[in-house]
Amino acid sequence: MASQKLSALTAVTSTADESLVYVANTTDSGSSFAGRKITKANLFSGYATESYVTSAIANVVDGAPAALDTLNELAAALNDDASIASSLTALINANETHVDNMATLTGVAKDAVNLGTFSGSTIADSQTLKAALQALETAVEAAGSAATLTAVSNDVTDLRTLSGTADEAEDLGTFSGATIADSSTIKAALQALETAVEAAGVVDAGDNVNRLVGSTTADSVPSGYYFLVADSTSGAIKAIDKSFMEID
């Protein structure tokens, strides 16, 4: 704001005394003075008055809360970060990555407003996550009451007891013999037994009567035949001539 020399001010004579300011004017470096009268408006033209400054400050604050109506408070709110724009941009980019990851996790496209389509009929297409969960909850509760679920649980317990295994066991445990390996599943145990039974059912040396298959088909008496008998001492099967069976 430029200042004015008093000599440049225009003297007035027609203004009321209470509106005038009397000043001394010199043109010879203070050797002589001449009185002049100027208006206060002229004297203070271009200078900010108290009311003007108060109004300007009020406009800057513009109703801001007391905790944020000074520059220092604003700086503190921004964590005194001179690079707040860069810091906020970095945080936004990081959060954008989190949003992308969440979208991938849900299986829907980014910015999608529903879950899209489903192949079944339980969850309707274009549902929100809550609506989908509600549909599943309703379906599950309709499929079985608490009493039904308890009955199923009891049946599972009975099956476990029948199997002879402990709760949450994943195999049949140990066996005293050699046919079924320890820690076998039910299927593996049945397979081992099947293999052993089929192997035992093959007639090999003919030394055990339990392996013989009798014939019930009628036939004529052959001219020469033998009887099979079991040795009472060794249990071995032996063939004897029919003459040993004839009665004198």
Side-chain angles (χ1 to χ4, degrees):
M1 184 182 303
S3 62
Q4 290 181 298
K5 292 182 178 180
L6 291 177
S7 58
L9 299 178
T10 303
V12 294
T13 58
S14 59
T15 305
D17 290 344
E18 62 270 15
S19 298
L20 297 177
V21 175
Y22 292 86
V23 295
N25 177 47
T26 180
T27 58
D28 53 8
S29 301
S31 298
S32 60
F33 299 91
R36 285 201 174 186
K37 294 183 294 184
I38 60 173
T39 63
K40 288 189 293 184
N42 197 358
L43 178 63
F44 295 110
S45 176
Y47 290 88
T49 63
E50 180 180 357
S51 61
Y52 175 84
V53 172
T54 300
S55 178
I57 293 175
N59 291 336
V60 171
V61 174
D62 197 22
L68 293 172
D69 62 359
T70 69
L71 293 177
N72 185 54
E73 289 169 343
L74 289 173
L78 297 176
N79 202 29
D80 293 326
D81 188 353
S83 303
I84 188 63
S86 297
S87 299
L88 289 176
T89 300
L91 289 174
I92 291 171
N93 290 338
N95 286 330
E96 187 73 10
T97 299
H98 297 326
V99 171
D100 291 341
N101 293 340
M102 181 58 69
T104 301
L105 180 63
T106 61
V108 297
K110 183 180 178 181
D111 298 328
V113 296
N114 58 60
L115 295 175
T117 59
F118 286 87
S119 59
S121 59
T122 302
I123 303 175
D125 293 341
S126 304
Q127 295 296 297
T128 63
L129 181 58
K130 180 179 179 180
L133 291 175
Q134 181 62 68
L136 289 174
E137 179 189 49
T138 301
V140 168
E141 292 181 353
S145 63
T148 301
L149 294 177
T150 299
V152 171
S153 179
N154 291 337
D155 291 341
V156 171
T157 301
D158 293 340
L159 286 173
R160 187 187 70 245
T161 302
L162 180 64
S163 70
T165 59
D167 188 19
E168 299 184 0
E170 297 181 349
D171 56 59
L172 296 175
T174 59
F175 288 87
S176 59
T179 303
I180 302 176
D182 291 342
S183 304
S184 294
T185 62
I186 293 177
K187 180 178 179 180
L190 291 174
Q191 180 62 67
L193 290 173
E194 179 190 50
T195 302
V197 168
E198 291 181 354
V202 177
V203 177
D204 45 18
D207 59 353
N208 193 327
V209 71
N210 294 326
R211 296 178 180 175
L212 299 178
V213 179
S215 175
T216 58
T217 303
D219 199 357
S220 60
V221 179
S223 58
Y225 57 90
Y226 295 91
F227 288 96
L228 295 178
V229 296
D231 190 314
S232 61
T233 302
S234 64
I237 295 178
K238 297 181 179 180
I240 61 174
D241 186 85
K242 68 175 183 176
S243 61
F244 287 96
M245 302 294 294
E246 293 178 349
I247 299 176
D248 292 337

